[in-house]
Amino acid sequence: MKGLASLGGLVYSTEHGRMCPDCRQPQAQCICKAAPVPQGDGIVRVSRETKGRGGKAVTLVKGVLLEATALAQLGKQLKAACGTGGTVKDGVIEVQGDHIERVIEALKKQGYTVKRAGG
């Protein structure tokens, strides 16, 4: 059994309630969990990748400057436009299959500056 030191310090305060173990602020005012909007050049890059996927193609959308919930919503719209599945991981939208042209058109309709990356 490790002891109280492994908890990272103050966990609960009668004055503020639960405390964040990382930034040591009250959980309502926690600053470490708030993910900042990513910075970039404003150009959305769309590419196709097969590495590590058993030879199956995946369309990748990188460089979209949105917060996590808005990015997930955009990913949902792109998956619906292509009629396939996919996911959003680490700020990258993955759409199953080779749908580069459909994704580019859908993003241009929404006003994004889009470039095709890779071959």
Side-chain angles (χ1 to χ4, degrees):
M1 191 169 192
K2 287 191 179 175
L4 294 177
S6 66
L7 294 175
L10 183 64
V11 178
Y12 190 87
S13 168
T14 55
E15 188 175 334
H16 298 288
R18 278 217 171 273
M19 305 296 278
C20 176
D22 297 325
C23 64
R24 300 183 193 266
Q25 297 291 323
Q27 279 193 337
Q29 300 165 352
C30 178
I31 56 173
C32 61
K33 302 290 186 217
V37 175
Q39 300 294 322
D41 57 1
I43 299 173
V44 178
R45 288 175 172 79
V46 180
S47 62
R48 180 179 160 270
E49 186 177 280
T50 58
K51 292 181 183 176
R53 303 176 198 281
K56 298 192 177 159
V58 174
T59 304
L60 300 176
V61 181
K62 299 178 184 177
V64 182
L65 303 178
L66 295 174
E67 62 178 11
T69 55
L71 190 66
Q73 183 65 30
L74 178 62
K76 187 175 180 180
Q77 292 172 359
L78 292 176
K79 292 184 296 185
C82 297
T84 63
T87 187
V88 178
K89 292 183 191 173
D90 300 325
V92 177
I93 301 172
E94 298 180 5
V95 179
Q96 293 175 354
D98 188 2
H99 300 285
I100 293 177
E101 298 304 323
R102 287 184 188 164
V103 169
I104 289 174
E105 291 303 315
L107 289 170
K108 283 185 178 179
K109 285 181 184 176
Q110 294 188 15
Y112 290 100
T113 303
V114 184
K115 281 189 178 178
R116 183 176 179 154

